[in-house]
Amino acid sequence: MDKLIETFVELAKIPSPSLCEGAVADKIIEMLKSCEINAKKDDYGNVYAFVPPTDKAKKPLLLSAHMDVVGDENPVNVVIKEDIIETDKTRTLGADDKTGVAAAVVLAKEVAGDKNLKHGGLELVFTRDEEQGMSGIRNVDFSKLESEYILVLDSSELGKFEISGASYTKLDVTVKTKIGGHSGLDIGKKDRINAAKVIADYVKLAPIGVINEDELGIVTSANLGCIIGGGIERTLACAKDVVNPIEYISKNCTDNVINTTACAHYSIRSSNVWYEKELIDAYRNIADEIKKKYGENVEITIEVSEHLKPFEKSDDDTLVNIGREAAKKTGIKLDVSSFHAGAETHVYANEKNKYGKTFKPVLMGIADIENMHSPQEKVHIHSYLEGYKLLREFFAEFNA
């Protein structure tokens, strides 16, 4: 069996749900130390390893991947059929992201074993808890990292080379009206403004969907998560046991009250800080317009909370140029693009290394993975072997 496939299968067989990665971390350290590579856990349980440079005139490169998988601690029964690696369909395979972990481990062992290879050093970071809270990457001590350039090996398609990614920001709109009342007796009074009507007016004006895009893909978008308004409090407890709780709440809400509170929840994603600010300003301006319409009896507040900073495109094209050259030499199509979701690239891109240099990460795909995060998850072996060739050639070009 190919060394890459053997390493992946060995790691995949170790269950490692988020925050239960200890066993797989120990196995990674064991694998690396067998080739005399210095590897250890940090205070949070992430794994750090370093292959020292053989040419100090060259720069080091960092490979990063996460150890946790979507799944539980039940056994992982790996099945290999022709060109496919999968499980017996009882649980997830964990290709996200053990394909990345295994490729980084195998490359490090290969680099460490070639004493004639001239390179600037290879750093490895394997994190915990990427799938749930990203607490692993947030607990990395970036001030100890040597590298400026980073390949995050965590994409589901061979040849994906994603150079920017969207932020994840939550925006909450709350409407409160000063005076409620009876929907029959008080309905004609001009100062009785229904908060649910106000939030409906707001939602009608607020932009959602794709806001702007460029040649790399979607840049900024907004999504409406929910609208809540009206007398629903007394129906919430009963709704737990019904087939369609949303429909139940709607049909059984208190409809003889002029509502005084209503809310809307949005998520905003953008790979451009300026565009995100512009969109948030637009949401605030709409609130001001609505308040002018209804007057002093209506109060609208906008609360913005940042969940993940954007991974903005770097002006430095070093990794893109090297990626294209490596792809040309291996015959693999490189898809340079942006992705409209979050990853550990976002955290790296907003931090600095021990020399005060801002990290320049890229999210790189080294295998075709189908049905990720499900019991039907599978890896195409040929694509994985080709992806490793691309990674190995990338390291060679980086050190050329």
Side-chain angles (χ1 to χ4, degrees):
M1 187 185 297
D2 182 272
K3 195 65 181 175
L4 176 68
I5 305 305
E6 183 181 312
T7 302
F8 168 73
V9 170
E10 189 171 0
L11 294 176
K13 285 181 177 179
I14 304 171
S16 57
S18 300
L19 299 177
C20 297
E21 305 92 348
V24 79
D26 291 340
K27 175 54 71 174
I28 291 166
I29 292 171
E30 177 188 315
M31 289 176 168
L32 293 170
K33 284 188 172 181
S34 70
C35 292
E36 299 183 347
I37 297 171
N38 184 21
K40 59 185 179 181
K41 292 181 187 178
D42 65 15
D43 291 341
Y44 194 71
N46 300 308
V47 173
Y48 172 80
F50 186 53
V51 180
T54 55
D55 184 348
K56 292 187 177 180
K58 299 180 183 296
K59 292 184 175 182
L61 179 68
L62 171 61
L63 303 182
S64 182
H66 63 88
M67 300 181 289
D68 65 314
V69 304
V70 171
D72 52 32
E73 295 190 85
N74 287 321
V76 185
N77 300 312
V78 178
V79 177
I80 299 179
K81 295 179 180 177
E82 298 178 354
D83 188 48
I84 298 296
I85 307 173
E86 56 188 352
T87 68
D88 58 0
K89 306 296 195 303
T90 59
R91 59 154 299 144
T92 55
L93 175 63
D96 175 18
D97 186 25
K98 286 178 181 173
T99 51
V101 174
V105 167
V106 172
L107 182 63
K109 292 170 73 171
E110 187 177 333
V111 170
D114 187 349
K115 304 305 180 185
N116 296 317
L117 181 64
K118 298 298 181 184
H119 63 85
L122 182 62
E123 283 186 291
L124 307 177
V125 172
F126 301 122
T127 58
R128 304 178 65 199
D129 189 34
E130 188 270 352
E131 297 291 359
Q132 287 191 3
M134 283 200 182
S135 62
I137 187 68
R138 296 185 194 281
N139 279 279
V140 168
D141 187 349
F142 300 106
S143 68
K144 292 183 178 178
L145 299 182
E146 301 269 346
S147 304
E148 178 182 356
Y149 297 101
I150 302 172
L151 295 182
V152 177
L153 307 177
D154 187 16
S155 185
S156 62
E157 293 180 47
L158 172 62
K160 277 286 186 184
F161 206 75
E162 293 165 310
I163 60 175
S164 62
S167 61
Y168 185 27
T169 299
K170 299 182 180 184
L171 186 144
D172 288 284
V173 183
T174 302
V175 172
K176 291 191 176 181
T177 56
K178 290 186 177 179
I179 309 172
H182 191 285
S183 64
L185 300 176
D186 300 314
I187 199 71
K189 298 175 181 177
K190 300 299 182 184
D191 60 349
R192 310 303 169 94
I193 301 167
N194 193 313
K197 171 64 168 66
V198 179
I199 204 72
D201 287 354
Y202 186 93
V203 169
K204 181 180 179 181
L205 294 174
I208 63 168
V210 175
I211 310 301
N212 46 48
E213 52 191 321
D214 62 14
E215 69 281 359
L216 296 177
I218 298 171
V219 177
T220 308
S221 70
N223 183 58
L224 176 60
C226 70
I227 310 167
I228 300 174
I232 63 171
E233 292 85 355
R234 71 178 180 83
T235 59
L236 287 176
C238 300
K240 294 177 184 177
D241 301 321
V242 299
V243 175
N244 190 332
I246 294 175
E247 187 176 308
Y248 177 86
I249 290 170
S250 176
K251 289 180 177 179
N252 292 277
C253 67
T254 303
D255 55 13
N256 64 348
V257 171
I258 298 173
N259 306 300
T260 57
T261 302
C263 305
H265 177 79
Y266 293 85
S267 64
I268 294 172
R269 297 180 186 270
S270 182
S271 54
N272 182 292
V273 172
W274 191 87
Y275 284 152
E276 181 180 282
K277 182 181 181 302
E278 184 179 54
L279 181 58
I280 291 171
D281 287 344
Y283 276 86
R284 295 188 191 281
N285 291 337
I286 292 167
D288 291 339
E289 287 181 38
I290 300 290
K291 282 190 281 188
K292 286 179 184 177
K293 174 182 175 181
Y294 286 103
E296 62 180 13
N297 286 327
V298 170
E299 176 186 329
I300 305 177
T301 58
I302 306 287
E303 182 180 341
V304 178
S305 56
E306 180 183 81
H307 180 68
L308 193 64
K309 290 182 179 179
F311 162 31
E312 293 193 275
K313 180 181 179 298
S314 173
D315 294 330
D316 186 337
D317 292 329
T318 299
L319 294 184
V320 173
N321 294 336
I322 292 172
R324 285 180 170 145
E325 188 62 28
K328 185 166 64 175
K329 289 189 175 181
T330 53
I332 295 169
K333 182 181 177 182
L334 199 72
D335 180 11
V336 179
S337 59
S338 177
F339 63 109
H340 207 61
E344 292 182 329
T345 44
H346 293 57
V347 180
Y348 280 120
N350 290 281
E351 297 289 348
K352 295 181 180 180
N353 69 5
K354 69 184 294 185
Y355 304 110
K357 295 276 190 179
T358 299
F359 292 115
K360 298 173 179 63
V362 163
L363 193 72
M364 183 174 175
I366 56 169
D368 290 331
I369 304 170
E370 285 187 48
N371 307 316
M372 190 181 286
H373 295 180
S374 79
Q376 288 73 42
E377 187 177 12
K378 62 180 68 174
V379 178
H380 291 263
I381 294 174
H382 177 72
S383 74
Y384 194 20
L385 296 175
E386 289 296 295
Y388 182 72
K389 289 179 185 177
L390 177 63
L391 177 62
R392 186 169 56 191
E393 187 60 41
F394 187 99
F395 186 75
E397 288 296 320
F398 186 83
N399 288 284

